[in-house]
Amino acid sequence: MAKRKAKATKPPEDYLQNFRLVLESCPWQNADKLVLGCDPGSKNFGISLVGIEDGVIRVYANSVMMYPVNNLVDFNAAYTGFEKELKLWMSAKPQGIVAERFQTRGNGGPLIEQVSAMLGIMRGRYHATPMKLTIASTWKNRFNRRFGTDLKEIYPELDVQPHQFDAALIGVFGIEEGLQEQVDYDIQDIVAQVEATSLIRLKSEN
């Protein structure tokens, strides 16, 4: 007996409405640099628009993607949903994409394939936009050394999903890499910005 295909899940209306409002207001119009920070995952794909204005880091919007590629069997459908949602984020015209690439040890299942597929789609679809890939230990160790703390200690205090916060920090990492200099910022300010610009409901609102 053939398996029934699962019905596609529609993004929450508040997510779409919030996205439209952000795109209309274009808060990044005065940004000196604007990047799309990505923390890929098959279930929780953190994504964030991060910029710098007059030396100040700004987080303009962030979320967990509604349509990550999590089905390699029905890949055409998975690709269509992911590419359509990615197009919304890229309509902000970031000057670069910064994403964490996935490393696995032992049997990681299909996750590494799913993440690699999404990174490949991003590179192929937006080949004119510079893209930098990094591994978790590179950007996280830099953060931990700089602030003398471990991100694992911050995650429980967040009112957003950790992947949203990570995507913003990956964006900051990308800006510093592009400028080849360290940008001064306060970690609690980044936390506050991520929570204030989340396009999906905060944990305390659920």
Side-chain angles (χ1 to χ4, degrees):
M1 183 175 178
K3 293 183 178 180
R4 296 176 61 184
K5 289 186 177 180
K7 292 183 178 179
T9 302
K10 292 183 178 180
E13 184 57 35
D14 54 353
Y15 168 76
L16 296 175
Q17 180 62 25
N18 290 339
F19 214 133
R20 295 187 192 104
L21 292 174
V22 170
L23 290 175
E24 288 174 5
S25 63
C26 192
W28 48 81
Q29 59 186 330
N30 295 320
D32 300 309
K33 297 291 182 183
L34 179 67
V35 301
L36 185 68
C38 302
D39 183 27
S42 62
K43 293 182 179 179
N44 296 299
F45 187 126
I47 190 165
S48 181
L49 282 166
V50 182
I52 185 168
E53 296 181 28
D54 297 323
V56 180
I57 292 293
R58 301 294 186 196
V59 181
Y60 301 108
N62 70 93
S63 184
V64 171
M65 293 190 77
M66 302 294 110
Y67 290 114
V69 173
N70 54 19
N71 188 339
L72 298 177
V73 177
D74 191 7
F75 183 71
N76 288 334
Y79 165 84
T80 300
F82 176 73
E83 195 278 329
K84 184 177 181 180
E85 186 175 2
L86 179 63
K87 186 177 181 180
L88 285 175
W89 288 91
M90 291 302 293
S91 65
K93 298 180 180 180
Q95 296 158 306
I97 300 171
V98 190
E100 181 181 298
R101 63 183 175 87
F102 191 81
Q103 289 184 307
T104 184
R105 295 180 178 85
N107 182 17
L111 179 58
I112 189 169
E113 296 175 86
Q114 293 163 342
V115 169
S116 296
M118 288 186 279
L119 294 177
I121 292 169
M122 296 171 74
R123 174 69 289 173
R125 182 67 178 81
Y126 298 97
H127 56 84
T129 303
M131 183 173 182
K132 179 176 179 61
L133 301 182
T134 183
I135 57 176
S137 60
T138 298
W139 73 266
K140 286 185 176 180
N141 286 343
R142 178 185 296 185
F143 173 89
N144 292 341
R145 288 194 300 268
R146 179 172 176 179
F147 292 98
T149 187
D150 194 310
L151 281 168
K152 294 179 181 178
E153 299 174 359
I154 298 176
Y155 292 150
E157 302 174 4
L158 299 175
D159 205 12
V160 294
Q161 300 300 322
H163 293 277
Q164 294 174 253
F165 182 59
D166 281 356
L169 291 182
I170 290 171
V172 175
F173 170 83
I175 287 175
E176 290 187 327
E177 286 290 288
L179 296 175
Q180 288 294 292
E181 63 180 56
Q182 181 173 289
V183 179
D184 184 37
Y185 67 91
D186 179 77
I187 191 59
Q188 291 304 321
D189 178 57
I190 301 298
V191 170
Q193 288 194 59
V194 172
E195 293 177 345
T197 61
S198 174
L199 298 179
I200 56 177
R201 294 181 180 182
L202 301 175
K203 292 191 292 186
S204 61
E205 297 175 333
N206 293 324

